[in-house]
Amino acid sequence: MSRETRLAARTEGAEGSEIRIMFERAQAYDGDLVRLEIGEPDFDTPAHVVDGAAEAARNGDTHYTSTYGVQRLREAIAERIARENGVPVEADDVLVTVGAIEALTVGLLSVAGPGDEVVVLTPGFANYTAQVELTGAEPVQVPLPAATGFDLDHELVADHVTGDTAAVILCRPTNPTGRVYDESDVRELARVAADHDAYVVADEVYEKLTYEGTRRSVAAIADDPEWVLSVNSFSKSYAMTGWRLGWLAGSTEVIEAAQVLRQATTLCPSSVSQAAGLAALDGPSDPFSEMVDTYEERREYALERIREWPEVECVRPEGAFYLFLDVTAFERPVMDLALHLLEEYGVSTTPGTAFGAGGEGFLRLSYAIDIDRLGTGLDRIERAIETELR
Ligand SMILES: Cc1ncc(COP(=O)(O)O)c(C=O)c1O
């Protein structure tokens, strides 16, 4: 006897991100595959961080923590934000989260709901739209112009901010383009949002991976920081993706609301991961700055190689660890192209459409990979261009 599965309406049409589709295809690949689709550091978490977590676990630090996160970690994060970002934040303004993903989810759930709109820039991180939909608010996708390398056109975005807007999500440095938007554009957009009583949800997970442009956070740039919710995490900057640790910083009222909501979802981040986070903030920073230097070296190498491909354009990424290649000249839907490169040439990339409609015609390559393997991956794409794409 068969019966229809009962599923909630919100699951209808929920396909999951194309990033995950490529990830699964790459995982299942049988052979020598160069993984340029991955959006995470190839470095292992530095030893002093692992030691901090292991010691905590051995000492019995294996229980639930406060739903706000461990107080010492909240204080260390607040100190870091005040010192490095120039934003006067107190521990009470910080919620320790399960990665930036949870900070985005509970942050958005706290400020947006049915009847509201949330402005999402495209191309942009795929999860934003799904997270907005979870809140019941309407995602309003604003395509940034490819002609300017997807620069932040604050007037264009401001045209979509209305009395219904609860938030504008702004990622800086940006995934997938690597752009570090000019402070003046950020300030203008934040001003328009505040004028409409809307938050800027500033996703700054790539903040430490800024090679050009300024590293000041949106809350420091904005004239009205009360209307900024800062999202950050240990994942990219500290090579700690699997520890699932991040934070949400903002007004005490929003943090309080988010803390209540998270009681129904994750309760608290892992105690052991929080010990790792403390070790990362308290310990030496050299291993992390060495990683940034390495990414920068790979960025230069990859850009030099891509410059040799006349059909392909690439805006110089100023941050993060991605290259967003304009492959419109090949006149193929980019999902097909990405799958073809994977199956026939042994190199996996992410189709630009994974970042919203604004990404058609683009492929994202990650340079969070050893430089020799990066070279092999680029050789394979070059061979595809020479043998059949051009
Ligand atoms: C822009 C952006 N925000 C958030 C995340 C998620 O970060 P976390 O691992 O801290 O949840 C990612 C991961 O790829 C990302 O690219």
Side-chain angles (χ1 to χ4, degrees):
M1 200 175 72
S2 73
R3 64 173 178 85
E4 272 191 31
T5 308
R6 180 173 179 139
L7 287 174
R10 75 172 63 84
T11 65
E12 258 167 48
E15 289 169 1
S17 115
E18 285 181 3
I19 297 181
R20 298 310 297 182
I21 296 174
M22 291 308 292
F23 181 85
E24 299 302 336
R25 292 288 280 262
Q27 290 284 86
Y29 186 86
D30 187 16
D32 171 39
L33 180 69
V34 181
R35 306 271 309 258
L36 301 185
E37 96 287 359
I38 290 198
E40 66 167 331
D42 53 317
F43 302 104
D44 289 333
T45 303
H48 70 276
V49 176
V50 178
D51 290 346
E55 198 183 318
R58 268 194 298 270
N59 289 342
D61 216 349
T62 52
H63 301 269
Y64 292 132
T65 73
S66 156
T67 48
Y68 293 96
V70 168
Q71 188 62 13
R72 253 197 355 107
L73 180 56
R74 294 175 84 199
E75 285 162 7
I77 291 170
E79 270 165 31
R80 200 210 99 162
I81 296 174
R83 190 179 61 245
E84 296 191 8
N85 303 84
V87 187
V89 166
E90 305 286 330
D92 283 354
D93 308 327
V94 174
L95 180 75
V96 186
T97 57
V98 180
I101 290 290
E102 192 199 11
L104 286 161
T105 305
V106 292
L108 287 167
L109 281 168
S110 302
V111 301
D116 292 330
E117 294 179 351
V118 176
V119 173
V120 177
L121 310 182
T122 158
F125 183 50
N127 296 43
Y128 297 149
T129 301
Q131 288 172 315
V132 173
E133 281 168 351
L134 261 189
T135 70
E138 187 71 31
V140 176
Q141 295 222 3
V142 181
L144 293 174
T148 59
F150 303 106
D151 212 353
L152 178 64
D153 180 338
H154 67 84
E155 286 175 355
L156 175 78
V157 182
D159 284 347
H160 295 80
V161 178
T162 70
D164 290 334
T165 308
V168 176
I169 305 179
L170 192 65
C171 181
R172 181 177 185 267
T174 312
N175 175 10
T177 64
R179 297 305 307 270
V180 176
Y181 303 132
D182 273 356
E183 288 200 5
S184 56
D185 294 321
V186 172
R187 187 174 302 108
E188 275 309 301
L189 183 58
R191 190 183 53 72
V192 171
D195 285 350
H196 287 81
D197 289 356
Y199 288 94
V200 173
V201 175
D203 179 347
E204 298 177 332
V205 296
Y206 296 102
E207 173 209 322
K208 281 190 176 277
L209 313 184
T210 303
Y211 320 109
E212 294 165 33
T214 62
R215 255 185 47 189
R216 279 205 314 157
S217 77
V218 174
I221 297 168
D223 294 330
D224 232 339
E226 308 91 272
W227 286 105
V228 179
L229 297 177
S230 305
V231 169
N232 213 322
S233 96
F234 290 84
S235 289
K236 320 283 177 173
S237 307
Y238 299 93
M240 290 177 62
T241 47
W243 300 83
R244 310 306 303 125
L245 194 68
W247 67 85
L248 177 70
S251 72
T252 316
E253 292 78 10
V254 176
I255 294 305
E256 190 58 43
Q259 178 274 140
V260 173
L261 291 177
R262 81 102 58 93
Q263 293 179 19
T265 55
T266 58
L267 194 64
C268 64
S270 139
S271 58
V272 173
S273 292
Q274 293 188 71
L278 254 178
L281 293 182
D282 287 350
S285 60
D286 310 3
F288 309 116
S289 37
E290 280 162 24
M291 290 177 200
V292 179
D293 293 345
T294 309
Y295 292 133
E296 208 170 344
E297 192 186 314
R298 295 168 183 174
R299 176 184 70 140
E300 289 307 327
Y301 165 73
L303 282 170
E304 227 165 82
R305 291 284 314 267
I306 290 161
R307 246 178 249 129
E308 305 287 310
W309 307 342
E311 301 84 357
V312 176
E313 302 277 337
C314 181
V315 174
R316 186 177 175 79
E318 297 146 324
F321 38 53
Y322 307 111
L323 299 154
F324 206 49
L325 303 191
D326 181 345
V327 293
T328 39
F330 302 136
E331 296 179 354
R332 279 177 86 140
V334 281
M335 187 65 187
D336 285 2
L337 183 56
L339 289 172
H340 189 69
L341 288 171
L342 187 145
E343 299 298 347
E344 303 300 324
Y345 292 89
V347 54
S348 60
T349 57
T350 307
T353 42
F355 308 98
E360 184 54 90
F362 288 78
L363 282 182
R364 189 192 75 175
L365 271 52
S366 161
Y367 49 90
I369 182 171
D370 170 83
I371 199 157
D372 292 337
R373 289 297 282 168
L374 177 61
T376 306
L378 294 171
D379 290 344
R380 292 179 186 184
I381 297 174
E382 192 166 273
R383 192 158 57 79
I385 295 174
E386 284 168 0
T387 53
E388 58 168 315
L389 294 176
R390 75 166 41 125

